[in-house]
Amino acid sequence: MAYLYELFTNTYLLVCVAILAPVLLSLRMYPVIIYLVKSKNLMDEPIDRSMHTAKTPTLGGVGMFITFSLTLIGLGMVMGLSQIELIKLLSIIAASITLMFLGIKDDLVGLAPKKKFMIQILAALMVIVLTDVRIASCYGLLGLEELPYIVSVAFSVFVFLAVINAFNLIDGIDGLAGTIGVIVTAAFGGFYILNERYLMVIISFALIGALLGFLRFNLSSRRKIFMGDSGSMFIGFILAYQAISFLEFNATTVTPYTVHVAPIMAMAILSYPILDTLRVFTIRIAQKRSPFSADRNHIHHRILALGLTHKKATLTLGIINILVIALAFIIKDLYINLQLYLLVLAVPLLYFSPWLIFRRGSKKSKMQRKRTLAMLRARINSFLG
């Protein structure tokens, strides 16, 4: 066993196993889930605002959770984790199970928003109170520094709720939530590798493996499956945990890789779900509707309306998310509040840029089609004339 402990101190081996294990498990897991869902008719029925036209298996989040958890438990057993790290690992799995049951019930029979929030708060408190992973400082952002304990706990719960529900909202087209999830967890995972935080490394890269395994089927035309609320809430919870752990570490530890403006970097990494949620909530409230009412005002809906396919829209938004992270890295040495103002200005422009690019392209293509039709009519008339 001591040999295994020493073997898995190799970061590169750890990352490879953390990614490959859930991917390989997914190859066997999802065909079984798809078969069971179809045989029991637990399908997602298309409605007016749906982006699909045929019944599609849901509960893909169950497969993600199982592959992620088995990988986490297996690696946790051979890594020689400390007692504190084992408690953190168990609290994450316990909170994820709680959210999984919530998501499955919501996918199958529906659930009132109030009940969702209550269970999400319970899951968040499990990790915040039991492991003391919370946002204790605002790094001087908007003049705020250290937070009192109760305020810190309340704010951390709010961040969990915001990220969980934001990821639930962006799960609207094939591959989008999974792709954004991979980008976000890879950004946090890279930071954890540099700082040798091995528990967070396996959490980050096991999630990447679980998401890649899911995307293999989510983007398939033959054996498609949706993640459902069980999947989007599970992803949102793990990403919120990564973000809060990222903020906590940078506030309490100094290393060559410490990020002194961690809140700005975290907001940049999570920029797409944050912006999309703020945008749709603003539109719905302006229209005097509940912010949780469903519509087709999401950024991905608008990009699809420009004529892009699901895969192209997903790729476009993923690239923009990476550009926002790069921008935050470039300006990281500026005054923290100036960075915030720059992001507030730049992020909407970057995410709304497809309207400028593809609209112009679509107008040009329309003009070309009109010219071609006019030329054909002229030739036909001259031939008949």
Side-chain angles (χ1 to χ4, degrees):
M1 186 61 81
Y3 172 73
L4 281 176
Y5 292 163
E6 185 178 349
L7 185 65
F8 280 97
T9 57
N10 185 314
T11 307
Y12 300 107
L13 176 64
L14 190 63
V15 168
C16 288
V17 174
I19 293 175
L20 288 175
V23 169
L24 295 175
L25 286 169
S26 296
L27 296 176
R28 301 295 297 172
M29 187 79 62
Y30 283 107
V32 175
I33 293 174
I34 291 170
Y35 171 77
L36 289 174
V37 168
K38 285 184 175 180
S39 63
K40 298 299 181 181
N41 198 31
L42 303 175
M43 311 278 274
D44 187 73
E45 298 272 1
I47 56 178
D48 291 340
R49 61 183 179 84
S50 297
M51 301 308 299
H52 60 290
T53 56
K55 287 184 178 181
T56 306
T58 186
L59 300 181
V62 175
M64 278 192 288
F65 169 74
I66 293 173
T67 57
F68 172 82
S69 298
L70 289 177
T71 302
L72 214 59
I73 293 168
L75 287 173
M77 291 170 64
V78 299
M79 283 178 58
L81 298 175
S82 66
Q83 184 179 2
I84 294 173
E85 288 175 322
L86 284 172
I87 292 171
K88 287 182 179 180
L89 188 149
L90 290 173
S91 70
I92 291 167
I93 293 174
S96 298
I97 291 172
T98 304
L99 286 174
M100 189 56 49
F101 279 110
L102 168 67
I104 291 171
K105 184 174 181 181
D106 195 31
D107 285 329
L108 298 180
V109 298
L111 206 61
K114 287 183 180 178
K115 290 183 179 179
K116 280 189 190 180
F117 279 124
M118 288 174 63
I119 298 174
Q120 288 169 4
I121 290 169
L122 174 63
L125 287 172
M126 281 185 189
V127 294
I128 294 170
V129 175
L130 296 179
T131 66
D132 201 34
V133 174
R134 57 190 173 84
I135 302 170
S137 171
C138 288
Y139 295 75
L141 186 65
L142 301 176
L144 299 173
E145 293 287 351
E146 295 294 320
L147 299 175
Y149 180 77
I150 297 299
V151 176
S152 171
V153 170
F155 184 52
S156 300
V157 169
F158 170 77
V159 170
F160 267 108
L161 293 179
V163 177
I164 289 169
N165 289 287
F167 256 83
N168 195 5
L169 288 171
I170 69 167
D171 182 29
I173 61 176
D174 293 344
L176 180 58
T179 300
I180 297 296
V182 168
I183 292 168
V184 172
T185 193
F188 287 128
F191 170 82
Y192 295 132
I193 287 175
L194 292 173
N195 288 282
E196 298 181 346
R197 296 192 65 198
Y198 295 114
L199 174 61
M200 295 308 300
V201 167
I202 63 171
I203 289 171
S204 300
F205 289 94
L207 182 59
I208 290 176
L211 287 169
L212 291 176
F214 166 75
L215 286 170
R216 161 71 178 79
F217 293 90
N218 182 231
L219 296 173
S220 169
S221 56
R222 227 169 25 93
R223 293 190 294 178
K224 183 182 290 296
I225 188 169
F226 294 155
M227 67 171 63
D229 284 358
S230 57
S232 59
M233 285 195 287
F234 162 68
I235 297 170
F237 173 78
I238 299 299
L239 296 182
Y241 183 87
Q242 287 177 285
I244 291 173
S245 180
F246 171 79
L247 293 172
E248 178 205 31
F249 180 83
N250 284 287
T252 57
T253 310
V254 178
T255 73
Y257 305 105
T258 298
V259 180
H260 301 291
V261 287
I264 300 297
M265 188 61 69
M267 285 189 282
I269 292 170
L270 290 163
S271 58
Y272 178 66
I274 291 172
L275 176 66
D276 188 61
T277 301
L278 288 174
R279 182 180 178 276
V280 294
F281 275 23
T282 302
I283 291 172
R284 291 168 187 174
I285 292 169
Q287 294 174 347
K288 297 182 180 179
R289 293 190 292 122
S290 166
F292 299 100
S293 60
D295 57 30
R296 292 174 63 120
N297 280 316
H298 292 276
I299 295 173
H300 53 263
H301 288 140
R302 298 301 184 186
I303 291 180
L304 289 179
L306 297 173
L308 272 70
T309 63
H310 283 220
K311 290 180 181 178
K312 288 181 179 178
T314 293
L315 180 62
T316 299
L317 291 170
I319 290 171
I320 295 172
N321 200 343
I322 293 170
L323 291 175
V324 172
I325 296 170
L327 173 63
F329 186 79
I330 290 168
I331 64 174
K332 65 183 175 63
D333 294 326
L334 299 176
Y335 177 56
I336 188 169
N337 287 326
L338 177 58
Q339 290 184 51
L340 177 63
Y341 302 146
L342 289 174
L343 277 187
V344 168
L345 291 172
V347 167
L349 291 175
L350 285 169
Y351 281 109
F352 299 154
S353 62
W355 274 278
L356 302 174
I357 297 169
F358 293 109
R359 269 189 179 178
R360 185 177 298 175
S362 63
K363 286 179 181 178
K364 285 182 179 178
S365 61
K366 285 179 182 178
M367 291 291 291
Q368 288 172 354
R369 284 196 296 268
K370 286 181 180 180
R371 287 173 185 171
T372 303
L373 287 172
M375 288 173 64
L376 284 172
R377 287 195 196 98
R379 289 180 181 179
I380 291 169
N381 289 334
S382 63
F383 177 76
L384 294 174

